[in-house]
Structures are given as structure tokens and as C-alpha cells.
């Protein structure tokens, strides 16, 4: 287990370094960053001054090392737009996004696991087909459109929940549904497949044969084993969700990190963009790392290799 | 009728694999539905200029926000007009071209990248496999929407930029699936036979491996095409995809958003179109998987 952990940790670090290099490189993809900061009407003297001030004249590798060193100590540079530390701006907004992500994944799990179990208990039944139908349809609904439709129905027509903002818990209801439903089909299908496989296993037949209560068999014996891959999928989905929160947050004007990303893009605030790409990637890497560890811990067969 | 002609003896002809596949396809409801809807949208996209009497760009201040026929509008603009008086049906039909083109080209780019990586990793294993797996991990760690938005913001929103960035981002599933599929095919005897006979590496990959992982490739292609279409719509919706006045469904939803309160049909129509297109592509893909998968054969 220790060897597995170390190997997996090494991989996570390598991936993190590569991603950091890419998000750093983003700054230079569109040309001279000094020109971008100075604006369209800047003189060459201004540009030279900015180049010197920000250190853009140093070799790229040195700049990257400098940025990476800063990132490791929690210093991600200064925002071009606010002239404030990027770390402060990002951490201020991250809470909303993480809350939204946690709510959305909980919503998806609460919806998907019972549906998956019900579908697996009676394959090809009405419930199974309904669940399959929902998952096929659900995957085809664009989330930004779904969000707008929910706003029309629940905020405008029915007046049940606020349409935008992040002031109270009520503001999180619709975004949670929009962000969460997208992960539901995949989790449901995996739960169903896992349950189907486990339910045909010998030990379930034994449990049935010795007259164990069906509910006990389902939830204590079968679900426990079928849930293992679901947990790791949920972790991966959570990583995707944080990255996908940008669309949902901008529809509902939820002031989280995703909304910040959208604002930073329109403000041409590259340091904040860089930091956000880095932060979202790190979340994903962390979640998948933890999920793999959890899996290996629960299922020793996975520790090899 | 006293005389009946002699019934010719029924000959037991074994249907060819192709015929068997066709029969399975014709029995598959999802495949037929998906295929039919997709075909209709494709035809609308191809014949968009013929099907619409108005230009998708022609503005008319006199005819702004006319409701569609089913909400009491007139037949000349049967799906109504938008806030600039442009014919909604014409924009929808031309928008189908944008969606389909972006889906096709982006999925083609990702298919080329992803399947090359996946097949090489699956065939060679070892270090090649490690390198490819690492690349897949790096790619998965990057938030797609965020990176795509940043790149579009830096390079400007045009069809080419959107297609390229989506193509460069969506190859991961091709690589993952084709890697696994190639690993299985690689173990089969005819690959070993080809190797022993001295077939060159490109020949083995092209003639022995690729045809046998093709069904996976097609299925992922449909999935990623749908994925690219949804992402383009989302990017355009956020204002960082295809730029106005190009008719894009995402852009139409974004423009209709302003009138959400009074004219909800402005976002409903392109939204339903987007939903139907993505649904039909996904159902087509699921159907192809069911029909071509060896385990689906009786």
C-alpha cells in the first residue's frame, strides 16, 4: 500500500508540474504580455518600463521557476486589473464554488444511486427503462439552457427561488440542480452496472439461500461492493464540476471562482486566469489521487501496478 | 383456385455478416430514431439557403420580435424573428451548419490525435504506454471550458479557433478507449501471424489493428461530436465562441436571454434544436455500439 501511495503520489506531482507549465505558457501564447498590460495606446517607453517591472525580459525558464516558486508558497502574482494579490482574489471566491461543487455532487449521488440500485434490482423493468431514458435525455440537455429554463419556470413564473446572486442558501438551489444533473447519468449507469455484477456473485446467492432479508442483502452486501467504483467516479466528476462551474455560475451570477474566471477573461486579467486554471487542475489531481487511494484501500487487488 | 404453383424449396442461406449487422440495425429503435433525426437536421443544414426565404443576416426594424406561428405569428416568419428582426427559422437552419461543422471537424481532429496515441500505447505497451497514459492524465487535469475560453479570448473567436481548440482538448476518450481496445486485439493470433510473416509496422497497425477497433472509434466519434457541439454552444453563449452575427445556436440562446422574461420562445427554439441534435447523435452512437459490439451478436 505504501509503495502504491508513493507511486501514485509521484504521478500526481508530475502531472501537476506539467499542468502548471501549460497554464504558465498560456500567458505567452498570445504575444508580449507587456503590450497586453499597457493597452492599445501605450508608447514603447511604457512597454519597456512594464517589461522591466514585471521581469518579462528574463529567460522564460527563469520566469517559470520564479512563478512556480511563488505558487508553491501561495503567491500567484498580482492581478493586472485589481492590482491585488491573485491569491487573495481567488481564495475569496473559491468558497462559493467549492460549496456549489459539494452540493452538486451530493445532489447527483442522492439522485443517481437509488435510481441505479432500483434499475439493477429489476433489469429491463419499467424503472430500469425510465432510468435509462432519463440518462439519455439528461446527457443531451445543454446545462446553460437548462439553467435558463429553470430560471423561467421557478424564479419568474413560480417565484419560488431567486434567479441570481449568492446571498442565501436559496440562491444555491437552482445552480446545484443544473450542475448536479449532468453527473447523474454516469453515476447511475455505473451504480447499475456494479449492482448487476455484484448481485450475480456467489456470495449474494449464498446470502439469499440462507434466507437473509432482501433489504439487508441489497444494502449491506451488494451496495457496499458496488459503490467502490462509484466513489472514484464521483471524485472525478467533482473535479470536472469545479471546472464546469464557470457556465453555471455565469448564468446565475453566483460569485464564485467560475464567475471570476469569466470576468477575468473579459478583463484580460491573465494572472488570475492562470491561477484559476492551476487551482482547478490541482483540485482535479487531488480528487483523483484521493479516489485512487481510497479504491486501493478498499480493494487490495488494485494495489498492484 | 384449384391449382397452386409448387412452392420452391426454402434454401437455408447463411446471411453475410454485413446483412446480419443491417438486420440488427433495422431492429434497433434508438439507432433508427437517432439516425432519422440526425438525417433531418443534416438535410436542413445542407439545404438551409433553399429552405429559408430570408437571409439569416437580414435585419428589419419593422419586423422585430415577431412571435412564431404557434404563438399567433404570421407564416412569412413561421418561427418568428429576433430582436433585430432577423428570421428565426433561417438563423436556426444556418446555425445547424455551424453546429454540425464544428462537431465534425473538432471530433476529426481529436480522433486523429487520440486514436494515434491510443493505438500506439496499446500496441507497444511499456514506455510508450506510460508516456501516453501520462499525457491523458495531464489532459484530464485541465479544465476544458476554462482553457477553451482562455484560448478563444487570446486568439479571438472564430470558427477555426473554436474547432482547433476543441479538437486539441477532446482527444482523451479516444486515447483511453482505443488503448484498451488495441491491447485486446494485439493479443489475438492474427496479429502474431502478421508479425511472423514479416508485415511492416504501419501495415499491421493499419490493416490488422485499426479495422478491429474501428467500431470503438466510431462510437467515441459520435460522443465527442456531441460533446464539441454542446461546448461550442456553451462558449458562444458565454460570448467567447463563434462571434455575432454568425448564426450559432449557443449565440441565439445568449441573445434571447435578454428577453427571457417576455419572450421565452427565443431561447426555447434553439435550445430544443440543440437538445435534439445532441440526443440524436448520442442515440446513433449508442445504437452503433450495440449493433457492432461482438457481445451484442447472437
Amino acid at each position: 500500500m505504501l509503495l502504491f501511495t508513493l507511486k501514485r503520489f509521484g504521478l500526481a506531482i508530475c502531472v501537476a508540474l506539467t499542468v502548471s507549465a501549460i497554464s504558465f505558457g498560456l500567458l505567452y501564447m498570445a504575444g508580449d504580455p507587456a503590450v497586453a498590460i499597457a493597452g492599445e495606446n501605450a508608447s514603447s517607453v511604457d512597454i519597456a518600463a512594464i517589461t522591466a517591472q514585471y521581469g518579462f525580459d528574463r529567460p522564460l525558464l527563469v520566469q517559470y521557476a520564479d512563478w512556480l516558486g511563488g505558487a508553491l508558497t501561495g503567491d500567484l502574482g498580482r492581478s493586472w486589473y485589481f492590482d491585488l494579490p491573485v491569491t487573495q482574489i481567488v481564495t475569496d471566491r473559491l468558497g462559493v464554488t467549492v460549496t456549489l461543487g459539494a452540493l452538486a455532487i451530493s445532489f447527483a449521488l442522492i439522485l443517481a444511486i437509488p435510481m441505479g440500485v432500483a434499475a439493477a434490482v429489476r433489469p429491463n423493468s419499467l424503472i430500469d427503462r425510465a432510468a435509462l431514458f432519463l440518462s439519455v435525455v439528461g446527457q443531451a440537455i445543454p446545462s446553460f439552457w437548462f439553467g435558463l429554463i429553470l430560471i423561467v419556470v421557478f424564479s419568474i413564473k413560480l417565484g419560488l427561488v431567486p434567479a441570481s446572486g449568492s446571498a442565501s442558501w436559496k440562491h444555491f438551489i437552482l445552480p446545484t440542480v443544473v450542475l448536479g444533473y449532468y453527473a447523474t447519468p454516469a453515476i447511475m449507469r455505473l451504480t447499475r452496472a456494479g449492482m448487476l455484477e455484484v448481485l450475480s456473485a456467489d456470495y449474494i446467492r449464498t446470502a439469499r439461500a440462507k434466507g437473509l432479508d432482501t433489504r439487508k442483502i441489497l444494502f449491506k452486501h451488494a451496495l457496499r461492493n458496488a459503490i467502490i467504483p462509484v466513489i472514484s467516479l464521483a471524485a472525478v466528476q467533482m473535479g470536472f464540476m469545479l471546472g464546469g462551474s464557470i457556465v453555471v455560475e455565469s448564468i446565475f451570477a453566483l460569485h464564485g471562482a467560475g464567475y471570476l474566471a469569466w470576468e477575468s477573461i473579459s478583463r484580460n486579467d491573465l494572472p488570475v486566469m492562470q491561477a484559476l486554471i492551476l487551482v482547478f487542475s490541482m483540485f482535479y489531481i487531488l480528487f483523483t489521487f484521493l479516489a485512487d487511494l481510497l479504491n486501493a484501500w478498499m480493494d487490495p487487488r488494485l494495489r498492484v501496478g | 383456385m384449384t391449382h397452386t404453383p409448387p412452392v420452391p424449396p426454402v434454401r437455408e442461406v447463411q446471411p453475410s455478416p454485413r446483412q446480419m449487422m443491417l438486420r440488427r440495425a433495422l431492429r434497433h429503435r434508438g439507432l433508427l430514431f437517432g439516425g432519422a433525426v440526425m438525417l433531418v437536421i443534416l438535410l436542413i443544414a445542407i439545404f438551409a439557403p433553399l429552405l429559408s426565404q430570408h437571409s439569416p443576416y437580414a435585419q428589419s426594424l419593422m419586423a422585430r420580435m415577431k412571435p412564431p406561428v404557434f404563438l399567433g405569428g404570421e407564416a412569412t416568419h413561421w418561427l418568428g424573428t429576433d430582436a433585430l428582426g432577423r428570421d428565426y427559422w433561417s438563423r436556426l437552419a444556418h446555425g445547424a451548419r455551424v453546429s454540425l461543422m464544428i462537431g465534425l471537424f473538432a471530433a476529426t481532429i481529436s480522433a486523429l490525435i487520440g486514436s494515434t496515441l491510443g493505438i500506439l500505447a496499446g500496441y507497444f505497451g511499456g514506455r510508450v504506454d506510460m508516456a501516453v497514459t501520462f499525457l491523458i492524465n495531464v489532459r484530464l487535469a485541465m479544465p476544458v471550458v476554462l482553457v477553451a475560453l482562455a484560448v478563444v479570448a487570446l486568439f479571438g473567436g472564430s470558427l477555426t479557433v473554436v474547432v482547433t481548440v476543441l479538437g486539441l482538448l477532446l482527444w482523451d476518450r479516444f486515447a483511453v478507449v482505443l488503448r484498451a481496445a488495441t491491447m485486446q486485439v494485439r493479443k489475438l493470433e492474427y496479429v502474431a501471424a502478421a508479425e511472423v510473416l514479416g508485415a511492416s509496422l504501419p501495415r499491421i497497425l493499419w490493416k490488422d489493428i485499426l479495422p478491429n477497433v474501428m467500431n470503438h472509434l466510431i462510437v467515441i466519434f459520435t460522443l465527442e461530436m456531441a460533446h464539441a457541439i454542446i461546448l461550442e454552444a456553451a462558449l458562444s453563449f458565454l460570448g467567447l465562441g463563434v462571434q455575432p452575427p454568425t448564426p450559432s445556436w449557443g449565440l441565439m440562446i445568449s441573445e434571447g436571454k435578454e428577453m427571457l422574461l417576455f419572450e421565452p420562445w427565443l431561447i426555447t427554439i434553439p435550445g430544443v434544436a440543440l437538445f435534439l441534435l445532441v440526443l440524436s447523435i448520442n442515440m446513433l452512437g449508442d445504437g452503433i455500439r450495440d449493433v457492432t459490439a461482438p457481445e451484442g451478436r447472437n
Side-chain angles (χ1 to χ4, degrees), chain A residues 130-154:
Chain A
L132 187 69
F133 178 76
L134 277 182
S135 79
V136 171
V137 169
Q139 264 169 342
I141 302 179
S143 58
F144 60 95
W145 181 63
F146 188 48
L148 290 177
I149 297 289
L150 288 185
I151 290 180
V152 171
V153 176
F154 290 100

Side-chain angles (χ1 to χ4, degrees), chain A residues 7 100 114 149 159 165 175 182 206 215 230 237-238 242 264 273:
Chain A
K7 267 189 182 169
L100 179 62
I149 297 289
Y182 211 66
T206 311
R215 202 172 300 164
V230 175
Q237 293 279 3
M238 173 101 183
L242 292 179
S264 307
M273 274 305 295

Side-chain angles (χ1 to χ4, degrees), chain B:
Chain B
M1 287 283 266
T2 51
H3 177 75
T4 48
V7 182
V10 180
R11 272 191 301 163
E12 279 292 325
V13 183
Q14 193 70 24
S16 73
R18 199 172 289 267
Q19 281 172 321
M20 277 160 64
M21 200 155 89
L22 195 68
R23 274 185 211 173
R24 278 198 303 274
L26 289 176
R27 274 199 309 252
H28 197 289
R29 267 186 246 159
L31 182 75
L32 292 181
F33 176 80
V37 175
M38 174 86 187
L39 190 68
V40 171
I41 298 179
L42 193 67
L43 289 176
I44 291 177
I46 293 172
F47 297 109
L50 300 176
L51 290 169
S52 42
Q53 30 176 302
H54 306 273
S55 152
Y57 301 107
Q59 306 182 3
S60 160
L61 289 177
M62 304 301 289
R64 291 169 58 222
M65 306 246 268
K66 295 262 183 187
V69 171
F70 46 86
L71 292 175
E74 297 152 22
T76 43
H77 298 289
W78 74 276
L79 277 185
T81 57
D82 67 6
L84 295 173
R86 295 174 296 194
D87 183 55
Y88 226 47
W89 160 248
S90 178
R91 287 186 72 71
L92 197 73
H94 285 84
R97 294 181 154 194
V98 172
S99 283
L100 282 173
M101 241 159 51
I102 287 192
L104 272 176
F105 288 128
T108 306
I109 297 174
S110 350
L112 285 174
I113 301 173
S115 44
T116 307
L117 288 176
I119 290 176
L120 289 178
Y123 185 79
F124 288 108
R127 292 212 178 142
V128 181
D129 186 28
M130 269 170 66
V132 170
T133 311
F134 181 73
L135 280 180
I136 296 174
N137 273 313
V138 170
R139 166 37 218 106
L140 283 172
M142 302 206 304
V144 174
V145 183
L146 210 55
V147 173
L149 278 175
V151 172
V152 172
L154 290 174
F155 288 94
S158 72
L159 269 178
T160 328
V161 171
V162 174
V163 162
T164 315
V165 70
L166 289 181
L168 291 177
L169 280 171
L170 300 181
W171 52 265
D172 51 288
R173 214 174 338 190
F174 285 102
V176 171
V177 173
L178 288 184
R179 171 179 169 267
T182 307
M183 276 179 172
Q184 285 184 348
V185 173
R186 200 219 177 303
K187 287 189 209 129
L188 298 176
E189 275 147 8
Y190 57 80
V191 177
E195 281 169 354
V196 171
L197 283 170
S200 67
L201 182 68
R203 193 193 150 87
I204 293 176
L205 293 182
W206 193 255
K207 291 258 174 184
D208 295 312
I209 304 277
L210 188 64
N212 290 293
V213 296
M214 204 58 191
N215 60 332
H216 296 282
L217 186 63
I218 294 171
V219 172
I220 307 294
F221 190 91
T222 60
L223 285 177
E224 290 307 333
M225 191 176 152
H227 196 177
I229 288 173
I230 283 209
L231 279 175
E232 178 273 319
L235 292 179
S236 301
F237 175 77
L238 290 173
L240 286 157
V242 179
Q243 294 303 307
T246 314
S248 143
W249 293 349
L251 207 54
M252 287 168 79
I253 297 177
S254 169
E255 289 161 355
K257 186 181 61 171
E258 314 298 328
M259 269 76 69
L260 194 62
L261 210 53
F262 310 106
E263 312 285 352
W265 58 269
L266 278 174
I267 64 160
T268 313
I269 291 172
V272 169
L274 196 56
F275 166 72
L276 279 178
L277 177 58
V278 172
L279 182 73
S280 69
I281 298 175
N282 280 341
M283 289 180 89
L284 198 67
D286 282 356
I288 294 172
R289 186 191 54 216
D290 291 349
V291 169
T292 57
E295 58 268 25
R297 291 175 191 165
N298 310 320

Side-chain angles (χ1 to χ4, degrees), chain A residues 76 90 94 242 257 274-284:
Chain A
L76 286 160
V90 172
L94 215 50
L242 292 179
Q274 261 182 345
L276 284 169
I277 292 179
L278 189 70
V279 168
F280 282 131
S281 308
M282 292 309 130
F283 267 115
Y284 177 86

